[in-house]
Amino acid sequence: MTIMQPIRPMPEHRFVPDAGNTRALRSALGAFTTGVTVVTALTDAGPIGMTVNSFASVSLDPPLVLWSPAKSSGRHGVFTGAAHFAVHVLGLEEDGLSARFTRGGLGFEGLDWQANAEGVPVISGTLARFECATASLHDAGDHTIVLGRVLRAAHREGDPLCFSRGAFGRFSR
């Protein structure tokens, strides 16, 4: 018979979040592992995308998802003003795709994509995709919560690309 020994946790760093310890808050939030997505929309100047990890499912009926662009982002106004957008959930092998849509990345340059019925750029082959109509916007401090009604969805088998504590990685079972 095997007796399980209790796991001894590391000491906690306790604090009250304020303007002087945003790095500690960011570190605590980074302990929550998320998936990685690329959100796309269409502008007058062409397609635009942004790598995002603030994505969540909200409701199955009606089908709703949310994501949260930072107000400090130069792309914030474009996305909060878009009537439609698409969220692409990235697979483990798509870390290069995530880099394309970060500050200074290549974006859509040289990337194969198609426009959906609403004109939103969609990238085929990602782990999952949610094509959405913007349902509502909610002020949330230094971010805006964008709630989208899912019009169409797609998915494939594969492992997700994960982000935790400032690094990309994989989910292990």
Short mmCIF file of all heavy atoms in Angstrom, two decimals, residues 5 11 19 32 41 68 77 103 128 165:
data_model
loop_
_atom_site.label_atom_id
_atom_site.label_comp_id
_atom_site.label_asym_id
_atom_site.label_seq_id
_atom_site.Cartn_x
_atom_site.Cartn_y
_atom_site.Cartn_z
N GLN A 5 2.09 11.36 0.43
CA GLN A 5 2.59 12.41 1.29
C GLN A 5 1.99 13.74 0.82
O GLN A 5 1.87 13.97 -0.38
CB GLN A 5 4.12 12.48 1.21
CG GLN A 5 4.80 11.25 1.73
CD GLN A 5 4.57 11.08 3.23
OE1 GLN A 5 4.56 12.04 3.98
NE2 GLN A 5 4.36 9.84 3.64
N PRO A 11 6.21 29.09 -0.27
CA PRO A 11 5.66 30.21 0.49
C PRO A 11 4.92 31.19 -0.43
O PRO A 11 5.31 31.40 -1.57
CB PRO A 11 6.88 30.89 1.11
CG PRO A 11 8.02 29.98 0.89
CD PRO A 11 7.66 29.00 -0.16
N ALA A 19 -0.96 50.68 -7.37
CA ALA A 19 -0.12 51.19 -8.45
C ALA A 19 1.36 50.89 -8.23
O ALA A 19 2.13 50.83 -9.19
CB ALA A 19 -0.33 52.70 -8.60
N PHE A 32 -2.07 31.78 -13.92
CA PHE A 32 -3.23 31.18 -14.56
C PHE A 32 -2.88 30.92 -16.02
O PHE A 32 -2.69 31.84 -16.80
CB PHE A 32 -4.45 32.11 -14.47
CG PHE A 32 -5.69 31.52 -15.08
CD1 PHE A 32 -6.33 30.47 -14.47
CD2 PHE A 32 -6.20 32.04 -16.25
CE1 PHE A 32 -7.48 29.92 -15.04
CE2 PHE A 32 -7.34 31.51 -16.82
CZ PHE A 32 -7.99 30.44 -16.21
N ALA A 41 -9.88 41.32 -37.63
CA ALA A 41 -10.99 42.16 -38.08
C ALA A 41 -10.56 42.81 -39.39
O ALA A 41 -9.39 42.73 -39.79
CB ALA A 41 -11.34 43.21 -37.03
N SER A 68 -10.57 40.73 -24.39
CA SER A 68 -10.36 42.04 -23.77
C SER A 68 -9.11 42.74 -24.30
O SER A 68 -8.01 42.51 -23.80
CB SER A 68 -10.24 41.89 -22.25
OG SER A 68 -11.35 41.22 -21.73
N GLY A 77 -8.99 50.85 -30.76
CA GLY A 77 -10.12 51.52 -31.40
C GLY A 77 -10.65 50.78 -32.61
O GLY A 77 -11.86 50.76 -32.86
N ARG A 103 3.28 43.19 -31.43
CA ARG A 103 3.87 44.45 -31.85
C ARG A 103 5.15 44.18 -32.64
O ARG A 103 6.04 43.46 -32.19
CB ARG A 103 4.18 45.32 -30.64
CG ARG A 103 4.65 46.72 -31.01
CD ARG A 103 4.85 47.60 -29.81
NE ARG A 103 3.60 47.77 -29.07
CZ ARG A 103 3.47 47.55 -27.77
NH1 ARG A 103 4.49 47.14 -27.06
NH2 ARG A 103 2.31 47.73 -27.18
N ALA A 128 -9.04 26.08 -33.43
CA ALA A 128 -10.47 26.40 -33.44
C ALA A 128 -10.63 27.82 -33.94
O ALA A 128 -9.68 28.62 -33.92
CB ALA A 128 -11.07 26.26 -32.04
N ARG A 165 3.04 32.38 -17.11
CA ARG A 165 4.21 33.02 -16.51
C ARG A 165 5.16 33.61 -17.56
O ARG A 165 6.38 33.49 -17.46
CB ARG A 165 4.92 32.07 -15.59
CG ARG A 165 3.99 31.66 -14.45
CD ARG A 165 4.69 30.86 -13.39
NE ARG A 165 3.68 30.43 -12.43
CZ ARG A 165 3.76 30.63 -11.16
NH1 ARG A 165 4.79 31.22 -10.62
NH2 ARG A 165 2.79 30.23 -10.36
#
